[in-house]
Structure formats: C-alpha cells, structure tokens
Tab-separated table of all heavy atoms in Angstrom:
chain	number	residue	atom	x	y	z
A	1	THR	N	-47.881	-91.754	-65.302
A	1	THR	CA	-48.039	-92.751	-64.304
A	1	THR	C	-47.684	-92.167	-62.911
A	1	THR	O	-46.952	-91.196	-62.852
A	1	THR	CB	-47.194	-93.990	-64.525
A	1	THR	OG1	-45.797	-93.562	-64.554
A	1	THR	CG2	-47.471	-94.669	-65.836
A	2	LEU	N	-48.220	-92.766	-61.889
A	2	LEU	CA	-47.949	-92.289	-60.557
A	2	LEU	C	-47.393	-93.394	-59.676
A	2	LEU	O	-47.894	-94.540	-59.810
A	2	LEU	CB	-49.209	-91.690	-59.905
A	2	LEU	CG	-49.758	-90.467	-60.556
A	2	LEU	CD1	-51.135	-90.082	-59.951
A	2	LEU	CD2	-48.809	-89.304	-60.507
A	3	PRO	N	-46.502	-93.145	-58.776
A	3	PRO	CA	-45.750	-91.868	-58.702
A	3	PRO	C	-44.707	-91.841	-59.802
A	3	PRO	O	-44.216	-92.932	-60.215
A	3	PRO	CB	-45.114	-91.964	-57.345
A	3	PRO	CG	-44.965	-93.429	-57.045
A	3	PRO	CD	-46.158	-94.073	-57.715
A	4	THR	N	-44.325	-90.720	-60.231
A	4	THR	CA	-43.255	-90.472	-61.177
A	4	THR	C	-42.206	-89.638	-60.489
A	4	THR	O	-42.445	-88.674	-59.840
A	4	THR	CB	-43.772	-89.759	-62.440
A	4	THR	OG1	-44.705	-90.541	-63.105
A	4	THR	CG2	-42.626	-89.439	-63.384
A	5	ILE	N	-40.943	-90.127	-60.641
A	5	ILE	CA	-39.801	-89.384	-60.049
A	5	ILE	C	-38.819	-88.935	-61.106
A	5	ILE	O	-38.471	-89.661	-62.021
A	5	ILE	CB	-39.082	-90.329	-59.070
A	5	ILE	CG1	-40.031	-90.758	-57.952
A	5	ILE	CG2	-37.824	-89.616	-58.469
A	5	ILE	CD1	-39.470	-91.769	-56.954
A	6	TYR	N	-38.408	-87.687	-60.994
A	6	TYR	CA	-37.388	-87.104	-61.900
A	6	TYR	C	-36.242	-86.641	-61.129
A	6	TYR	O	-36.320	-86.211	-59.966
A	6	TYR	CB	-37.993	-85.883	-62.605
A	6	TYR	CG	-38.764	-86.197	-63.867
A	6	TYR	CD1	-40.140	-86.310	-63.826
A	6	TYR	CD2	-38.125	-86.364	-65.093
A	6	TYR	CE1	-40.840	-86.612	-64.983
A	6	TYR	CE2	-38.795	-86.648	-66.257
A	6	TYR	CZ	-40.157	-86.764	-66.179
A	6	TYR	OH	-40.861	-87.050	-67.310
A	7	HIS	N	-35.054	-86.780	-61.707
A	7	HIS	CA	-33.841	-86.194	-61.199
A	7	HIS	C	-33.537	-84.992	-62.102
A	7	HIS	O	-33.651	-85.099	-63.339
A	7	HIS	CB	-32.679	-87.221	-61.278
A	7	HIS	CG	-31.339	-86.598	-60.881
A	7	HIS	ND1	-30.516	-86.064	-61.796
A	7	HIS	CD2	-30.781	-86.466	-59.666
A	7	HIS	CE1	-29.417	-85.594	-61.176
A	7	HIS	NE2	-29.544	-85.847	-59.887
A	8	ALA	N	-33.182	-83.874	-61.497
A	8	ALA	CA	-32.782	-82.694	-62.230
A	8	ALA	C	-31.454	-82.169	-61.772
A	8	ALA	O	-31.213	-82.097	-60.562
A	8	ALA	CB	-33.885	-81.615	-62.116
A	9	ASN	N	-30.605	-81.840	-62.704
A	9	ASN	CA	-29.318	-81.293	-62.341
A	9	ASN	C	-29.068	-80.115	-63.282
A	9	ASN	O	-28.781	-80.302	-64.468
A	9	ASN	CB	-28.180	-82.346	-62.497
A	9	ASN	CG	-26.898	-81.877	-61.943
A	9	ASN	OD1	-26.861	-81.051	-61.006
A	9	ASN	ND2	-25.797	-82.385	-62.450
A	10	ASP	N	-29.204	-78.925	-62.737
A	10	ASP	CA	-29.012	-77.646	-63.438
A	10	ASP	C	-29.824	-77.616	-64.781
A	10	ASP	O	-29.315	-77.312	-65.826
A	10	ASP	CB	-27.542	-77.444	-63.786
A	10	ASP	CG	-26.718	-77.107	-62.525
A	10	ASP	OD1	-27.328	-76.430	-61.614
A	10	ASP	OD2	-25.574	-77.501	-62.423
A	11	GLY	N	-31.083	-78.025	-64.629
A	11	GLY	CA	-32.006	-78.012	-65.751
A	11	GLY	C	-32.005	-79.150	-66.715
A	11	GLY	O	-32.711	-79.181	-67.723
A	12	VAL	N	-31.156	-80.163	-66.442
A	12	VAL	CA	-31.143	-81.395	-67.224
A	12	VAL	C	-31.930	-82.446	-66.453
A	12	VAL	O	-31.627	-82.793	-65.359
A	12	VAL	CB	-29.704	-81.816	-67.518
A	12	VAL	CG1	-29.715	-83.141	-68.298
A	12	VAL	CG2	-28.907	-80.793	-68.244
A	13	PHE	N	-33.002	-82.967	-67.127
A	13	PHE	CA	-33.896	-83.871	-66.431
A	13	PHE	C	-33.696	-85.274	-66.904
A	13	PHE	O	-33.513	-85.557	-68.067
A	13	PHE	CB	-35.359	-83.399	-66.726
A	13	PHE	CG	-35.680	-82.017	-66.230
A	13	PHE	CD1	-35.494	-80.936	-66.985
A	13	PHE	CD2	-36.158	-81.866	-64.953
A	13	PHE	CE1	-35.740	-79.652	-66.548
A	13	PHE	CE2	-36.441	-80.617	-64.443
A	13	PHE	CZ	-36.210	-79.493	-65.248
A	14	ARG	N	-33.822	-86.166	-65.919
A	14	ARG	CA	-33.758	-87.589	-66.144
A	14	ARG	C	-34.838	-88.279	-65.363
A	14	ARG	O	-35.021	-87.951	-64.187
A	14	ARG	CB	-32.403	-88.190	-65.761
A	14	ARG	CG	-31.257	-87.708	-66.611
A	14	ARG	CD	-29.899	-88.132	-66.003
A	14	ARG	NE	-28.825	-87.879	-66.926
A	14	ARG	CZ	-28.182	-86.704	-66.969
A	14	ARG	NH1	-28.558	-85.697	-66.209
A	14	ARG	NH2	-27.179	-86.535	-67.808
A	15	ARG	N	-35.503	-89.201	-65.954
A	15	ARG	CA	-36.588	-89.887	-65.236
A	15	ARG	C	-35.975	-91.009	-64.427
A	15	ARG	O	-35.209	-91.844	-64.997
A	15	ARG	CB	-37.608	-90.411	-66.242
A	15	ARG	CG	-38.723	-91.239	-65.551
A	15	ARG	CD	-40.058	-90.782	-65.982
A	15	ARG	NE	-41.066	-91.603	-65.315
A	15	ARG	CZ	-42.019	-92.196	-65.891
A	15	ARG	NH1	-42.225	-92.082	-67.234
A	15	ARG	NH2	-42.931	-92.890	-65.185
A	16	TYR	N	-36.272	-91.068	-63.125
A	16	TYR	CA	-35.808	-92.145	-62.270
A	16	TYR	C	-36.760	-93.348	-62.386
A	16	TYR	O	-37.938	-93.196	-62.189
A	16	TYR	CB	-35.751	-91.641	-60.797
A	16	TYR	CG	-35.341	-92.706	-59.849
A	16	TYR	CD1	-33.993	-93.064	-59.728
A	16	TYR	CD2	-36.277	-93.358	-59.083
A	16	TYR	CE1	-33.610	-94.024	-58.831
A	16	TYR	CE2	-35.875	-94.319	-58.187
A	16	TYR	CZ	-34.561	-94.650	-58.089
A	16	TYR	OH	-34.179	-95.640	-57.182
A	17	ARG	N	-36.157	-94.508	-62.739
A	17	ARG	CA	-36.934	-95.700	-62.906
A	17	ARG	C	-36.497	-96.805	-61.978
A	17	ARG	O	-36.875	-97.972	-62.183
A	17	ARG	CB	-36.945	-96.135	-64.318
A	17	ARG	CG	-37.529	-95.133	-65.311
A	17	ARG	CD	-37.533	-95.669	-66.743
A	17	ARG	NE	-37.919	-94.689	-67.662
A	17	ARG	CZ	-39.168	-94.436	-68.075
A	17	ARG	NH1	-40.152	-95.140	-67.571
A	17	ARG	NH2	-39.463	-93.498	-68.992
A	18	GLY	N	-35.667	-96.473	-61.011
A	18	GLY	CA	-35.116	-97.517	-60.136
A	18	GLY	C	-36.051	-97.876	-58.986
A	18	GLY	O	-37.185	-97.408	-58.957
A	19	SER	N	-35.537	-98.670	-58.132
A	19	SER	CA	-36.254	-99.085	-56.983
A	19	SER	C	-36.602	-97.907	-56.059
A	19	SER	O	-35.834	-96.921	-56.045
A	19	SER	CB	-35.461	-100.121	-56.224
A	19	SER	OG	-36.007	-100.423	-54.943
A	20	ARG	N	-37.603	-97.978	-55.314
A	20	ARG	CA	-38.038	-96.844	-54.522
A	20	ARG	C	-37.761	-97.065	-53.014
A	20	ARG	O	-38.487	-96.645	-52.166
A	20	ARG	CB	-39.531	-96.574	-54.778
A	20	ARG	CG	-39.705	-96.200	-56.187
A	20	ARG	CD	-41.004	-95.687	-56.507
A	20	ARG	NE	-41.012	-95.284	-57.909
A	20	ARG	CZ	-41.980	-95.466	-58.740
A	20	ARG	NH1	-43.088	-96.027	-58.295
A	20	ARG	NH2	-41.946	-95.044	-59.932
A	21	THR	N	-36.641	-97.726	-52.802
A	21	THR	CA	-36.166	-97.865	-51.408
A	21	THR	C	-35.276	-96.674	-51.090
A	21	THR	O	-34.709	-96.049	-51.970
A	21	THR	CB	-35.404	-99.173	-51.188
A	21	THR	OG1	-34.176	-99.132	-51.969
A	21	THR	CG2	-36.234	-100.376	-51.589
A	22	LEU	N	-35.139	-96.383	-49.797
A	22	LEU	CA	-34.337	-95.256	-49.357
A	22	LEU	C	-32.889	-95.445	-49.833
A	22	LEU	O	-32.231	-94.509	-50.326
A	22	LEU	CB	-34.420	-95.120	-47.819
A	22	LEU	CG	-33.548	-93.981	-47.233
A	22	LEU	CD1	-33.924	-92.629	-47.834
A	22	LEU	CD2	-33.691	-93.987	-45.710
A	23	GLU	N	-32.338	-96.673	-49.653
A	23	GLU	CA	-30.985	-96.942	-50.022
A	23	GLU	C	-30.770	-96.720	-51.521
A	23	GLU	O	-29.714	-96.163	-51.927
A	23	GLU	CB	-30.596	-98.404	-49.635
A	23	GLU	CG	-30.575	-98.645	-48.147
A	23	GLU	CD	-31.983	-98.802	-47.583
A	23	GLU	OE1	-32.952	-99.166	-48.322
A	23	GLU	OE2	-32.165	-98.591	-46.364
A	24	ASP	N	-31.666	-97.160	-52.367
A	24	ASP	CA	-31.497	-97.023	-53.800
A	24	ASP	C	-31.627	-95.548	-54.227
A	24	ASP	O	-30.873	-95.079	-55.116
A	24	ASP	CB	-32.534	-97.859	-54.566
A	24	ASP	CG	-32.170	-99.333	-54.513
A	24	ASP	OD1	-30.982	-99.670	-54.324
A	24	ASP	OD2	-33.053	-100.213	-54.685
A	25	LEU	N	-32.482	-94.813	-53.617
A	25	LEU	CA	-32.574	-93.362	-53.910
A	25	LEU	C	-31.303	-92.666	-53.515
A	25	LEU	O	-30.782	-91.820	-54.252
A	25	LEU	CB	-33.778	-92.764	-53.199
A	25	LEU	CG	-35.170	-93.157	-53.722
A	25	LEU	CD1	-36.276	-92.728	-52.745
A	25	LEU	CD2	-35.430	-92.537	-55.091
A	26	GLN	N	-30.765	-93.010	-52.328
A	26	GLN	CA	-29.517	-92.370	-51.891
A	26	GLN	C	-28.320	-92.762	-52.836
A	26	GLN	O	-27.550	-91.907	-53.217
A	26	GLN	CB	-29.219	-92.791	-50.441
A	26	GLN	CG	-30.090	-92.175	-49.457
A	26	GLN	CD	-29.960	-92.730	-48.052
A	26	GLN	OE1	-29.510	-93.913	-47.875
A	26	GLN	NE2	-30.266	-91.945	-47.055
A	27	ASP	N	-28.286	-94.054	-53.169
A	27	ASP	CA	-27.199	-94.489	-54.064
A	27	ASP	C	-27.257	-93.813	-55.411
A	27	ASP	O	-26.240	-93.509	-56.075
A	27	ASP	CB	-27.237	-96.025	-54.241
A	27	ASP	CG	-26.776	-96.805	-52.990
A	27	ASP	OD1	-26.199	-96.108	-52.082
A	27	ASP	OD2	-27.023	-98.017	-52.946
A	28	TYR	N	-28.490	-93.622	-55.912
A	28	TYR	CA	-28.678	-92.962	-57.195
A	28	TYR	C	-27.995	-91.596	-57.223
A	28	TYR	O	-27.402	-91.200	-58.246
A	28	TYR	CB	-30.164	-92.833	-57.511
A	28	TYR	CG	-30.510	-92.292	-58.809
A	28	TYR	CD1	-30.455	-93.140	-59.989
A	28	TYR	CD2	-30.952	-90.976	-59.048
A	28	TYR	CE1	-30.823	-92.635	-61.280
A	28	TYR	CE2	-31.290	-90.542	-60.310
A	28	TYR	CZ	-31.242	-91.353	-61.412
A	28	TYR	OH	-31.570	-90.890	-62.612
A	29	VAL	N	-28.069	-90.877	-56.119
A	29	VAL	CA	-27.474	-89.536	-56.047
A	29	VAL	C	-25.972	-89.633	-55.657
A	29	VAL	O	-25.136	-89.051	-56.296
A	29	VAL	CB	-28.258	-88.705	-54.976
A	29	VAL	CG1	-27.553	-87.374	-54.813
A	29	VAL	CG2	-29.672	-88.465	-55.424
A	30	MET	N	-25.647	-90.387	-54.604
A	30	MET	CA	-24.313	-90.458	-54.089
A	30	MET	C	-23.293	-91.029	-55.154
A	30	MET	O	-22.226	-90.549	-55.299
A	30	MET	CB	-24.219	-91.256	-52.771
A	30	MET	CG	-24.745	-90.449	-51.602
A	30	MET	SD	-24.390	-91.219	-50.011
A	30	MET	CE	-24.794	-92.909	-50.200
A	31	GLU	N	-23.751	-92.113	-55.751
A	31	GLU	CA	-22.901	-92.783	-56.745
A	31	GLU	C	-23.063	-92.243	-58.125
A	31	GLU	O	-22.513	-92.780	-59.119
A	31	GLU	CB	-23.183	-94.285	-56.738
A	31	GLU	CG	-22.872	-94.929	-55.384
A	31	GLU	CD	-23.268	-96.409	-55.330
A	31	GLU	OE1	-23.633	-97.008	-56.375
A	31	GLU	OE2	-23.263	-96.956	-54.194
A	32	ARG	N	-23.822	-91.183	-58.260
A	32	ARG	CA	-24.034	-90.442	-59.522
A	32	ARG	C	-24.524	-91.437	-60.609
A	32	ARG	O	-24.137	-91.332	-61.784
A	32	ARG	CB	-22.775	-89.751	-59.984
A	32	ARG	CG	-22.381	-88.677	-59.059
A	32	ARG	CD	-21.093	-87.970	-59.532
A	32	ARG	NE	-20.834	-86.777	-58.738
A	32	ARG	CZ	-21.153	-85.542	-59.111
A	32	ARG	NH1	-21.615	-85.345	-60.310
A	32	ARG	NH2	-20.905	-84.557	-58.346
A	33	LYS	N	-25.438	-92.322	-60.218
A	33	LYS	CA	-26.019	-93.291	-61.211
A	33	LYS	C	-26.825	-92.567	-62.252
A	33	LYS	O	-27.083	-93.083	-63.340
A	33	LYS	CB	-26.870	-94.310	-60.492
A	33	LYS	CG	-26.039	-95.298	-59.657
A	33	LYS	CD	-26.920	-96.319	-58.943
A	33	LYS	CE	-26.044	-97.261	-58.159
A	33	LYS	NZ	-26.903	-98.283	-57.502
A	34	TRP	N	-27.280	-91.356	-61.903
A	34	TRP	CA	-28.077	-90.584	-62.869
A	34	TRP	C	-27.291	-90.256	-64.131
A	34	TRP	O	-27.919	-89.965	-65.158
A	34	TRP	CB	-28.618	-89.310	-62.206
A	34	TRP	CG	-27.628	-88.458	-61.465
A	34	TRP	CD1	-27.263	-88.521	-60.186
A	34	TRP	CD2	-26.826	-87.382	-62.031
A	34	TRP	NE1	-26.329	-87.590	-59.894
A	34	TRP	CE2	-26.031	-86.893	-61.000
A	34	TRP	CE3	-26.739	-86.829	-63.319
A	34	TRP	CZ2	-25.113	-85.836	-61.239
A	34	TRP	CZ3	-25.849	-85.791	-63.503
A	34	TRP	CH2	-25.058	-85.321	-62.477
A	35	LYS	N	-25.995	-90.249	-64.047
A	35	LYS	CA	-25.163	-89.878	-65.211
A	35	LYS	C	-25.321	-90.994	-66.339
A	35	LYS	O	-25.103	-90.703	-67.506
A	35	LYS	CB	-23.714	-89.735	-64.869
A	35	LYS	CG	-23.424	-88.447	-64.154
A	35	LYS	CD	-21.976	-88.176	-64.040
A	35	LYS	CE	-21.735	-86.767	-63.540
A	35	LYS	NZ	-20.345	-86.348	-63.706
A	36	SER	N	-25.665	-92.209	-65.940
A	36	SER	CA	-25.801	-93.286	-66.910
A	36	SER	C	-27.222	-93.323	-67.555
A	36	SER	O	-27.509	-94.136	-68.415
A	36	SER	CB	-25.444	-94.630	-66.294
A	36	SER	OG	-26.377	-94.964	-65.303
A	37	VAL	N	-28.122	-92.445	-67.074
A	37	VAL	CA	-29.480	-92.400	-67.579
A	37	VAL	C	-29.552	-91.304	-68.650
A	37	VAL	O	-29.069	-90.216	-68.490
A	37	VAL	CB	-30.498	-92.058	-66.414
A	37	VAL	CG1	-31.892	-91.938	-66.980
A	37	VAL	CG2	-30.401	-93.139	-65.358
A	38	GLU	N	-30.202	-91.674	-69.756
A	38	GLU	CA	-30.334	-90.743	-70.860
A	38	GLU	C	-31.258	-89.552	-70.448
A	38	GLU	O	-32.332	-89.783	-69.912
A	38	GLU	CB	-31.042	-91.451	-72.074
A	38	GLU	CG	-31.070	-90.637	-73.303
A	38	GLU	CD	-29.741	-90.483	-74.037
A	38	GLU	OE1	-28.867	-91.326	-73.814
A	38	GLU	OE2	-29.618	-89.469	-74.688
A	39	PRO	N	-30.732	-88.279	-70.668
A	39	PRO	CA	-31.580	-87.160	-70.261
A	39	PRO	C	-32.851	-87.069	-71.169
A	39	PRO	O	-32.878	-87.638	-72.237
A	39	PRO	CB	-30.685	-85.940	-70.536
A	39	PRO	CG	-29.315	-86.499	-70.765
A	39	PRO	CD	-29.455	-87.936	-71.129
A	40	VAL	N	-33.861	-86.376	-70.654
A	40	VAL	CA	-35.062	-86.134	-71.414
A	40	VAL	C	-34.679	-85.358	-72.634
A	40	VAL	O	-33.913	-84.351	-72.549
A	40	VAL	CB	-36.116	-85.346	-70.526
A	40	VAL	CG1	-37.307	-85.012	-71.345
A	40	VAL	CG2	-36.484	-86.227	-69.316
A	41	ALA	N	-35.187	-85.729	-73.787
A	41	ALA	CA	-34.896	-85.058	-75.027
A	41	ALA	C	-35.209	-83.584	-74.954
A	41	ALA	O	-36.165	-83.160	-74.266
A	41	ALA	CB	-35.672	-85.710	-76.189
A	42	GLY	N	-34.454	-82.749	-75.659
A	42	GLY	CA	-34.563	-81.318	-75.579
A	42	GLY	C	-35.994	-80.790	-75.793
A	42	GLY	O	-36.493	-79.968	-75.053
A	43	TRP	N	-36.676	-81.308	-76.789
A	43	TRP	CA	-38.015	-80.850	-77.111
A	43	TRP	C	-39.041	-81.289	-76.052
A	43	TRP	O	-40.069	-80.667	-75.861
A	43	TRP	CB	-38.472	-81.284	-78.455
A	43	TRP	CG	-38.696	-82.778	-78.625
A	43	TRP	CD1	-37.727	-83.676	-78.972
A	43	TRP	CD2	-39.884	-83.488	-78.427
A	43	TRP	NE1	-38.288	-84.937	-78.974
A	43	TRP	CE2	-39.584	-84.862	-78.651
A	43	TRP	CE3	-41.155	-83.120	-78.047
A	43	TRP	CZ2	-40.600	-85.861	-78.552
A	43	TRP	CZ3	-42.141	-84.121	-77.984
A	43	TRP	CH2	-41.816	-85.465	-78.209
A	44	ARG	N	-38.753	-82.397	-75.309
A	44	ARG	CA	-39.637	-82.844	-74.241
A	44	ARG	C	-39.202	-82.331	-72.832
A	44	ARG	O	-39.852	-82.713	-71.860
A	44	ARG	CB	-39.645	-84.406	-74.223
A	44	ARG	CG	-40.473	-84.943	-75.339
A	44	ARG	CD	-40.806	-86.375	-75.199
A	44	ARG	NE	-41.553	-86.616	-73.960
A	44	ARG	CZ	-41.556	-87.728	-73.289
A	44	ARG	NH1	-40.827	-88.776	-73.719
A	44	ARG	NH2	-42.268	-87.928	-72.251
C-alpha cells in the first residue's frame, strides 16, 4: 500500500501505522513509541 512508512533502528524494522501528522511522527521518535511496535519478523 502507498504510502508505507517504516522505522528502522540498527537493522530492526517496524512498520509505522500511526497518524501522518508532523507532531505524531515526531512523537513516535522522541517518545520512543516505536519500542511498543512489534518488529518485522526475521524471515520478512
């Protein structure tokens, strides 16, 4: 699907499914919300 957004941290990938506002994107990184998202499975 488009657009698709991924967060990557040292080779660990997580698909971002949140709101696409500037504030939500910033909060996702600053507040480390990506830690609560399940990483992409190893084989995928």
Side-chain angles (χ1 to χ4, degrees):
T1 59
L2 294 175
T4 296
I5 299 174
Y6 275 94
H7 174 268
N9 189 28
D10 292 327
V12 178
F13 297 90
R14 292 171 171 86
R15 179 131 180 228
Y16 176 79
R17 297 183 188 269
S19 170
R20 297 190 176 142
T21 66
L22 179 59
E23 295 77 23
D24 286 336
L25 289 166
Q26 290 172 332
D27 287 347
Y28 186 78
V29 174
M30 285 191 312
E31 297 175 12
R32 297 179 170 258
K33 291 181 179 181
W34 51 268
K35 285 191 171 193
S36 64
V37 176
E38 187 72 26
V40 174
W43 67 273
R44 284 193 61 207

